[in-house]
Structures are given as C-alpha cells and as structure tokens.
Amino acid sequence: MITPHRLSVKFYFEELSVDAEAFIPVFHRWIRENVVPNELLLDVADYKHILDGPAILLVGHEADYVIDFTDGKPGLLYVRKQDLGADLSNALDTTLSQALNGVKLTESDVELQGKLKLRTDGATIVLLDRLNYPNAASNGDSVDTAASAEAHLSDSLAALFGSDATVARVDNDAREPLTFELRAPSAPDVDTLLSQLGTGN
Amino acid sequence: MSNIGWKDVLTDDMPVDLAHEIDIFEGQMELMGQGKLDEKVFAETRLRRGVYGQRYDNGQRHDGFESRELEFEELDRIKGPDTLWHAPGMQRIKVPGGGLSPEQLDVLAQVADEYSDGILHITTRQDIQLHFVHIEDTPDMMRRLAAVGITTREACGNSVRNVTCCHLSGVCRTEVFDATPYSEAFAQFLLGHDDVQDFGRKFKPAFSGCESEACGLVMMHDIGYLAQVKEVDGKLKRGFKVFVGGGLGTVPHQAKVLSEFTSEEEMLPLVQAVARVFARLGEKRNRNRARIKFLVAKLGIDEFRRLVEEERKTLPHDDRWTAYLDTLPQYEEKPAKPPTFLNGQVRSTEFNQWFETNVYSQRQEGYSVVTVNLPLGDLTSKQTWELADVARKYVGDNVRATVEQNIVLRWVSDSDLPSLYEDLKAIGLGDPGAGTIVDITACPGTDTCKLGIASSRGLAGELRTRLTAKSASLPDAIKDLKIKISGCFNSCGQHHVSDIGFFGNSRRSGNFKMPHFQVVLGGRWRDNAGSYGLAVGAVPSKTVPEVVDIITNRYIDERAKGETFQDWIGRIGKKEARGMIQPFMQLPAFEQEPDYFSDWGDPRVFSLGDIGIGECAGEVVSLFSMEISPAESEAFEAQIALDENDPARADALAYSSMLKAARALVRTQFLDVGDSPDRIVEEFKTRFFDTELFFDQYAKGKFGQYLLDRHQNPNPNPDNDSAHRLIEEALLFIEATHACESKVGGNVLVEI
Ligand code: HEM
Ligand code: SF4
C-alpha cells in the first residue's frame, strides 16, 4: 500500500513521575549528543501551556518525538515526517523501530531513569494522510482503504507483538486522521521488539 | 490509489486564480531547485506566499556549548540567501479581519497536523501561523486552504500585509459603524494589485470602528482607518479618518492624519494613490528606513498629502473603486440562534469568573461576544476542530481571531453562555482572564524567530502560570493591566502599547552573556494604541517575574484614586521608575547564579550565536524580476503539460508566459498597462518592438515576432509539435525580455 504522508505511533506511559518540563533539558542534550544517529534532531518546542495536548516536542528533520497528553493519556508520540520508505510496510517498520528506540532512550536516560516507564502492550497508530488514507465512514472507497490498511497493520503487528495482538480502527471524527489502536497483551519487551525489527543492538 | 494529488482532488473547489497562482509558485520552487532562479527573487516570491524562514535555517545551532552545523541533506540547496532548502520554516496564513468559518477552522486544523506540528498560532495581526513546515509541503497546503477560500498571498514580504479590523466590529457598543465590509473590500482590492508590488518594505493596514477603544490599533499602522460619519449636503455620509505612517519597531511612530474625512467612494482610490507614492518615493536601498513612516517623516505630512492628492488626480478610473458599495447593503452577519437572556440559570463561581472577563455584551440585545483565551495564542489541531464544532453549535460563521492572540465567538445567544462555557472547558479552552494581566501577548522570540534575542514565549508562559496562580487575590487595578513581550527590539509582540512591556536584549557578565528584557512602562492600548511606553532599563530575564511584582505592588500602594497605570508612570517619571528596577540591574557572576545565564524554558547556556538574518523586510528586488519569474514558471508548466500529452494547455501556457514577460517589460515604463492581452501586445509593440529596443544584435526582431505572431494567429488545434515549438519560442522570448530589460535599465536592482 502507498506510503502515507506521515505516520505516527504513540506508546503510553505506565508510570510518569516527572513533569513535562523535565524533558526539555533531556531533549536538548539528545540533540547535543546526537543520540539518534540516523535522524537529524533540530530543536525543542515547549507547548506545556496547552492543556491535554502535545507538551514538549523534540523536533527533528525526519521525525518529531512528543511528550503528548492528548485525551489526558500521557505517552511518547513518534511522528515520522520524512523518508518513510517505499510503501506502508516500510513506513511502519521505520516508524515502529524508531519509536521503540525512542522509548528505550527515554527509559534509560540518565536524568529520567527510574522515573518513568512506557508500556508496549498497546499503542496508537495514525496515518496522517487524508488524501490517500481518508478517515470517512461514508465513502465506499475510503472504507476499503481503511479496511485494507487495518488488515495490513494487523498482519505486520501480530508478527511482531504476538499472535494475540489485535488492531482496531478507532471510531473517531472524520476530520481526524485514520487511527488504529493496537492491543497486545503478550507483547515482548522493547529490546525483543527491536531485535525482531532488525534494529536492536 | 495512484499518483492523484490534492491538486487533482481539489480542482473544482479552488478559485481558478488561486489555483493558478499556486501552480506558478510550485513551478518557481521547481526552477529554484534546478538553480534557475535568483535566490533573492525566490526568497521574495516565497515570502509573498507567506513562506517564511525560521530559526536555524542557516544550518547553524548553538547547543549551549558550541555552535554546531545541522547536517541537512543537500547543503548547497537554498531557498533564499543563507537559508537552506530542507530547513523547516514558518507558514503565515492571512486571515482578513481575523474572520474564520468553522469549515476553515477544520481545514486549518488538518493542515497543521499533516504539515506542521499540530499547533496553530494566532498572531498579533489576526493571522495564523504554522511552524516547522517543509517547503515541499507548502503548495498542497495552500491548495487545501484555497479550497476553503483562504489565501496566503502577500502574508509576508514587501507587500500589503493582512488587513486587520476590530474583532468587535458590527457588534460593538461604541462604534460609529461596522468597518468589516470596508476592510474586506480594501483587502480584496489591494490583494495582488499592480500598484502594491514594488514596495521597499511591508505595509500594514488597520480598520477601527471607533476612536477610543483599542481594538483596531490604527495609530500604530502604516495606514489606519477610523470610521466616521459626516453630514454632506444634508445627508449623512460614511467615510473614514485616515492615518498614515504609524508603526512600532525600533523607533515607534504615531500615525499622522492624512485626511480628516475620506468618503467611502474615495477610500480605495486614496490608498491606491498612497501606494503609488510609497512605491515611487519610499526608500529601497536602506531597509531600516524603508517603511512608509520614514517617508512621511522625511517629507512632512503636508507634503506627503499634497503628493498623494496629485497622484490621485492621475489615476486611471477603476470601476472597482465604488463597485463594492453595491455589495454593502447585502453585508450582514446571521446569528445562529435567536436572542435570549441569561436569567435564572444556575451559575457556578467558575462560570462567573469567566463571565466577568471573557464575555462582552453586544450592542444587539440578547447576544454576547465570548473570548476564547488561548495561552500564548496557541491551540492544537484537535482543539481547533472541536472549537469549529462549538462554533457550529452556537454561532455559525461568526468567529474571529483577535490582535491579542485570542479567538472570539460572536452572536452567542445569552442563555447559551453557561453551556458554551462548559463546552469550551471540556476542550481545554475555558480559561478565564481574557484581556487581563494573565492574558499575555508574546511574539515567537527565540522559539522560532531568526532575530530573537530572548525567550518572549518562555517568559510569557512563566508569568502566565505565576499570575494565574494568584489571580484571585490580585486587586482589580492590577488585573486589568496588560503585559506584552517581544523577543527583540522589532516589537512584534507590541510591547510599546502595553502597560508593562518587555523586549529581549542581552548584557555581559564576565565572559558570559545573560538574557535580559528591557522594561517599557506605561504604553496605552486604548485609544487605538494611543501612546507608547517609556523604556526604563534592562533586567535579567530570570528576574522579570519579581520585577513585575515590585512594579505592580508599588502601583497599588501609591496610586491615587482612579489613577491609571499610565498616569502613575507619568507622575513618578522615568528616574523613579528606573529606581524600582535598579536593584535587579546588578549582575551576578556565572558561578553565583548560573541559572541567570539561561533563558525561560531553555536550559542551554545563553548565546547570541543563533541569530540569523531576519526576513521581516523581504528582499528588495526589482518589480521586473518579481514579474518575470511567474512567466518563467508558466513556461516551465507548459513543458510539463506537453509531457502529459496536453498540447492545448501547453500552447495556452506558453502564450500566457510570453504575455506575462512582455507585461513585466512594459511595466518598467508604463505601470498602468492592465491585463488585456491586446493592450499588452500593443504597448510592447510600440514601446519595444517598433523602437527596436527589443532587437537582438544578430537575431534582430525575431524573438519579439514570436509573441506578435502567436497573438495574431492563435493555433485553433495545437498538436504536440506546434506546442513544442511555441514553448521553445516562449523560452527565447523570455530570455530576450531579460536581455532587453538589462539593456534599457528598467528598474534598478537594489542589493540588500
Ligand atoms: C526587522 C524585522 C521585523 C520587524 C521590524 C517586525 C515588526 C513587527 C511588528 C511591529 C509586529 C507587530 C504587529 C503589528 O505590526 O501590528 C510584528 C508582528 C509579528 N512579527 Fe515581526 N517584525 C520583524 C521580523 C520578524 C521576523 C523575522 C519574524 C519571524 C519569522 C516575525 C514574526 C512576527 C510575528 C509572528 C508577528 C505577530 C506576533 C505573534 O502574534 O506571534 N517578525 N512584526
Ligand atoms: S520581536 Fe524580534 S524576536 Fe520577536 S518575532 Fe519580532 S523579530 Fe522576532
């Protein structure tokens, strides 16, 4: 299937005992130390004044890392914006492995270690491309597209997150991008997932 | 799913001219990518489409320890002087008078999450800005906006910027009449007008319904309009008191009266005459003195007025000057609901607090204007479409952005207020305190602006949090004060016209620089930005919250009954005022207070190393260069049409590109040539062809003949071959136009 314009994955915090603000110096350090060698990290944007939204962004050229509180659910959102690859599978692989790498970096960061934990047994996946992946329920074509995307995600994610993993389309507003919820009760840990994706160390 | 793009999907939804302009811009991007366009011409071209640079786009960033290169791909590819192609930038979206419909909000929200970072920022000129946008995404973004009637054209660059208008116009209790339809007609008339393409600098207009309130801020604008009614021959006539030459910036100027009364029939010709005088006589070489305020100051208002009046007499008649008057009677806003009263509903304390500050009772009984207080002018994509739904439910299309970086919902039926409040609160937009000391205005500052010195937004966020925490206990006299913050002396945050204003600068302590804010006290927001504040001294950024406390406490202690903040500052004088902040001006060493050496919300050790060349002034390039560039892009589009096997379109585009080039050339001598192909060709022929100015040393009149032939004998059924030939001819014709322009001199290309 066609590569979406952008693709994002949000993993949720199981524990978070620091304020959003604590991520500002951490993200600045990540830029300085170039901790994601295959991405160009640019700057930190501070939106913590917004209620229940993206609070702190590590803005990059290929992707943004966001400490995100949308719907009151804190998580680490990874938004892949450039170089997604040739098709949806590629885009999903890249996005997942980079997002999981972000999870790992966050959990093991010297300043954050022990103060937070992210869970891998669920995630929200968003296809930010209203042209190729419209989120309309009424139009026949787009329903087909959504269903195909869902089947595609289900197959890929079950292979990674365990056979009991399910992917369901989120019944959100048609103006929102096409969104899927991953539930994976027997998801392996981050390292296993990364090594399955072929990007672990 | 194939290669269908937004361009194909939205063809029927976009106004044809907007769609075509965007195609041209896309063509210019393509040419720039191939290194075929001058970098300054391209920079000005994109600025005039609202595509702005952003901090670090020169590829350098200070990480707190050292300045480091950002390793973008294709480092030699640029989108303007010292501006890397791949570096993300800011997109400014023009919103005339701040007017937005729910459909427009929906699309704005969608482009923000697909192309930006999911945040919409409302600016101090009722615009919307998106940040971190990749230039490749801008044509599609513009198409999606065009499909709901929004253009980004002339949002930046040396052009007529967004036309602002009081957000209360039409419902205000003190206005003379509703200035909205006039500001709309004004904006439409000047958008893309030939006479506004050759300014040395930007030009900002504002409209206001009355003299005493602040909303329109006409006194600080390049041109400002105050609604007036005058009796002429026993009849009441509508018109405006017109001001010219105001502006903030490093040296703020109060506008001068250009005309005590300009009738509605004369409003458009007058501004056209002003535009011509400004284009002709305004400074082009030194951009620091290029705003119209400097021209007015240099000539004196009387001489300026005389020149404008002379110019007015020479203008060729234009039906559009008065055509808009016929549409005025149809202009009306439709409330979504009938008027009702707020009687008997249960009101929570929270609601009452919000009601006190965020609700304005309209002139029309039973209706109110509700201000949605946006922290730092920001809202998320999700909040935006949720807000669009709230608007649909209560007010329909009656939504406007304000110059205080908020959004208002007009025509709220009063009994809906409690439920509207609950709905806003549910989407995180129920903050009280609109227009009070917690509702702080800030420019982008070091967050994203290339010129930023200190973190205006960081400071605004901090002050907002602290002041909100104690707002319940603040005396009314303090609550009603305004704080406005700019990241540098350019004043985008409008600090000159607030009670307590700040602008960023820096001071040295030992071997380190420390972020500072200059304190500016006693500016007047009311009376349309009636007077500017007094700069009293600079304090370290980290001390500002304490400085605000000291100043406000002293005001409360010392003020005479009913004495305003401005009067109090005027009474105590600059020396006393400086005395208040003096204790903060002793700078600690790095070892004593390392925290003072970084800014709010930014832990990096402070540096000025990230300041780049701002694009506020745009690039000064000749009118000819700006006008020939779309011709080149059209010739390029013609080639694409041919590749797509569409010879008829290729032929039409190639012909149109020649006309554009000829027009650009003719306009170096004769500005009023207009748009008719016959007229353009005729003027081209008599001025350049018959005089042999256009002739090439060897080819003689051959290239010029191409246009004359195609104009006289259009091919009714172009095939691939003939279209191909015409494209070749168009390219040669455009080349010859360039050669002729540089031979004849045309406008001088001014280097910046
Ligand atoms: C010499 C350079 C500049 C000058 C003199 C200047 C001047 C101004 C002034 C006076 C305003 C206040 C609004 C008004 O005029 O009514 C303004 C608004 C603004 N300017 Fe500039 N400006 C400059 C450069 C820039 C740059 C480089 C940027 C960032 C890309 C920028 C971004 C803005 C923004 C965002 C606003 C609205 C403030 C907000 O709501 O966030 N300006 N500008
Ligand atoms: S005041 Fe200075 S820092 Fe703020 S936006 Fe304007 S130019 Fe940038």
Side-chain angles (χ1 to χ4, degrees), chain B residues 558-624:
Chain B
E558 287 185 5
R559 75 192 276 257
K561 196 160 181 286
E563 191 176 31
T564 65
F565 190 81
Q566 284 83 29
D567 292 343
W568 174 65
I569 289 293
R571 175 161 66 81
I572 69 171
K574 185 165 176 169
K575 195 157 167 249
E576 260 312 297
R578 190 178 170 87
M580 283 191 285
I581 64 166
Q582 198 85 43
F584 300 93
M585 294 166 80
Q586 319 302 328
L587 307 189
F590 189 86
E591 301 70 34
Q592 291 169 298
E593 291 279 5
D595 190 42
Y596 275 39
F597 293 80
S598 63
D599 214 332
W600 292 109
D602 188 344
R604 286 174 295 170
V605 174
F606 181 72
S607 127
L608 296 178
D610 289 329
I611 296 177
I613 301 167
E615 292 183 333
C616 79
E619 298 291 343
V620 180
V621 284
S622 71
L623 182 62
F624 175 78

Side-chain angles (χ1 to χ4, degrees), chain A residues 54-69:
Chain A
I56 309 293
L57 266 80
L58 169 55
V59 182
H61 180 67
E62 293 83 1
D64 294 340
Y65 295 79
V66 188
I67 301 303
D68 182 68
F69 293 88

Side-chain angles (χ1 to χ4, degrees), chain B residues 38 40-42 44-45 48 158 197-200 284 619-630 664 667-668 738 741-742 745-752:
Chain B
D38 176 80
K40 285 185 188 155
V41 172
F42 183 72
E44 181 61 15
T45 302
R48 289 193 194 177
N158 298 329
Q197 304 303 317
D198 195 22
F199 289 171
K284 302 249 165 77
E619 298 291 343
V620 180
V621 284
S622 71
L623 182 62
F624 175 78
S625 332
M626 286 309 290
E627 294 190 345
I628 192 82
S629 155
R667 275 176 37 86
T668 61
H738 273 291
E741 194 265 351
S742 49
N747 289 7
V748 185
L749 185 79
V750 182
E751 295 292 331
I752 52 152

Side-chain angles (χ1 to χ4, degrees), chain B residues 629-647:
Chain B
S629 155
E632 286 167 347
S633 153
E634 236 172 28
F636 180 78
E637 249 192 278
Q639 280 166 315
I640 295 176
L642 190 63
D643 292 345
E644 288 169 353
N645 235 336
D646 189 348

Side-chain angles (χ1 to χ4, degrees), chain A residues 6 32 47 49 130 175, chain B residues 68 114 116-117 378 389:
Chain A
R6 289 181 172 187
R32 198 170 70 236
Y47 295 123
H49 47 277
R130 293 175 178 86
R175 290 163 295 186
Chain B
R68 295 254 287 265
E114 275 183 58
S116 165
D117 56 3
D378 294 344
D389 286 344

Side-chain angles (χ1 to χ4, degrees), chain B residues 5 64 73 84 272 281-282 348 413 432 484 529 554 594 598 608 656 698:
Chain B
E73 303 148 35
L84 299 179
Q272 194 181 344
L281 300 179
S348 62
S413 184
K484 295 186 187 284
R554 173 116 182 239
S598 63
L608 296 178
S656 164
Y698 304 106

Side-chain angles (χ1 to χ4, degrees), chain B residues 286-449:
Chain B
N286 176 359
R287 64 176 177 177
N288 291 326
R289 304 195 61 79
R291 291 289 284 275
I292 200 169
K293 62 188 177 185
F294 294 105
L295 182 64
V296 173
K298 188 171 105 189
L299 296 171
I301 184 68
D302 294 332
E303 175 61 6
F304 182 82
R305 186 182 302 115
R306 191 188 68 75
L307 289 168
V308 169
E309 283 163 3
E310 286 302 308
E311 192 69 39
R312 166 68 187 93
K313 290 181 200 147
T314 69
L315 292 181
H317 176 81
D318 186 338
D319 288 342
R320 290 181 303 164
W321 288 342
T322 47
Y324 83 97
L325 295 173
D326 299 338
T327 66
L328 292 180
Q330 288 102 46
Y331 176 84
E332 64 163 343
E333 282 182 317
K334 290 194 187 61
K337 303 249 196 122
T340 50
F341 296 94
L342 187 58
N343 284 332
Q345 279 102 328
V346 184
R347 302 180 184 198
S348 62
T349 323
E350 262 186 340
F351 171 80
N352 281 336
Q353 253 178 16
W354 173 85
F355 179 81
E356 199 182 308
T357 50
N358 295 38
V359 178
Y360 172 91
S361 175
Q362 290 186 193
R363 177 172 82 231
Q364 296 84 358
E365 269 205 352
Y367 289 108
S368 294
V369 177
V370 162
T371 303
V372 182
N373 178 3
L374 303 173
L376 310 191
D378 294 344
L379 74 172
T380 66
S381 285
K382 190 168 164 44
Q383 285 175 324
T384 307
W385 58 68
E386 287 169 340
L387 183 63
D389 286 344
V390 171
R392 284 187 179 94
K393 182 166 164 194
Y394 295 100
V395 297
D397 281 351
N398 299 313
V399 182
R400 293 193 193 181
T402 80
V403 295
E404 294 207 87
Q405 301 175 317
N406 290 325
I407 286 182
V408 289
L409 304 175
R410 299 151 53 101
W411 295 97
V412 178
S413 184
D414 282 348
S415 63
D416 280 341
L417 287 165
S419 59
L420 170 60
Y421 171 63
E422 291 303 322
D423 287 353
L424 288 175
K425 213 169 63 166
I427 59 173
L429 296 177
D431 281 2
T436 71
I437 194 164
V438 301
D439 187 7
I440 299 169
T441 300
C443 78
T446 46
D447 278 15
T448 51
C449 175

